[in-house]
Amino acid sequence: MARIIPPLVLEMVEEASSSAGSDVSPFWQSDNEGTPEEGMYQLASELDVENADQLLAQLPTGYRMVYSIFLWEASRAGEGFKTGTDNSGPALVQAAAKAYAEAGMPEETAALERMLAQYVQTPLDYDSIEAAYEAADNPYQDDWERIPKLVRHLCENADRYFYVED
């Protein structure tokens, strides 16, 4: 039996690979610095379709992880915690927190859960929301630590996260 990318998302993976400028498809096999990360963001955008939950339920867990984490991270990077959470929705942030746990990053999971709890209590208080995220030690607090570790983990475990048996 061969491991294949699920047919439901093969075109999306190819498009994400092309958009990320990957020299190979799938992009997670690229040796070019930055290409796998860009591919993850591109794939999250490709997966952002109507009834995404229904699609993701039919796929290996890596697609759900990429969808929730990288949509959240894009929103957070551009808008901050409060506006990013407003626009993403708490359910997506909670899914991202769970995905970080699956990727072996429990400190990021705990930080996002604290941030979400504060967001529910004081949705208009940006400073309190950010302080809740920063309230405990988290080696992944910095984007430059968090995203590369996550991308590396997903790429190194691609067979587990992105493929199915043919």
Side-chain angles (χ1 to χ4, degrees):
M1 287 261 176
R3 307 268 305 150
I4 63 167
I5 295 169
L8 284 171
V9 291
L10 181 58
E11 191 173 310
M12 292 177 180
V13 170
E14 289 172 348
E15 181 60 34
S17 297
S18 176
S19 294
S22 180
D23 53 348
V24 295
S25 184
F27 61 83
W28 54 78
Q29 293 178 349
S30 177
D31 290 333
N32 293 340
E33 187 176 339
T35 298
E37 179 179 331
E38 181 61 27
M40 298 288 174
Y41 280 105
Q42 293 294 329
L43 182 57
S45 294
E46 292 290 325
L47 292 166
D48 194 16
V49 297
E50 191 173 329
N51 299 318
D53 289 339
Q54 186 177 26
L55 172 65
L56 294 168
Q58 300 175 59
L59 298 170
T61 189
Y63 295 94
R64 181 185 39 75
M65 292 171 72
V66 166
Y67 174 81
S68 61
I69 289 175
F70 288 93
L71 286 182
W72 159 244
E73 288 290 351
S75 186
R76 167 177 154 172
E79 303 159 348
F81 287 111
K82 189 226 176 300
T83 305
T85 304
D86 287 344
N87 291 337
S88 296
L92 182 73
V93 180
Q94 186 60 54
K98 182 179 177 192
Y100 271 116
E102 288 178 45
M105 300 169 75
E107 299 91 346
E108 184 64 14
T109 299
L112 288 175
E113 288 173 346
R114 282 192 311 275
M115 184 275 300
L116 277 172
Q118 188 64 46
Y119 174 84
V120 169
Q121 290 178 7
T122 59
L124 300 177
D125 187 348
Y126 172 80
D127 291 335
S128 293
I129 293 167
E130 187 170 2
Y133 175 82
E134 296 173 350
D137 287 338
N138 177 3
Y140 309 113
Q141 190 170 351
D142 183 353
D143 294 357
W144 299 107
E145 298 294 329
R146 181 177 62 256
I147 301 301
K149 161 107 168 76
L150 174 66
V151 170
R152 193 170 39 258
H153 174 79
L154 290 169
C155 291
E156 289 172 356
N157 295 284
D159 279 350
R160 180 172 120 207
Y161 287 131
F162 299 116
Y163 293 93
V164 294
E165 295 292 330
D166 181 23

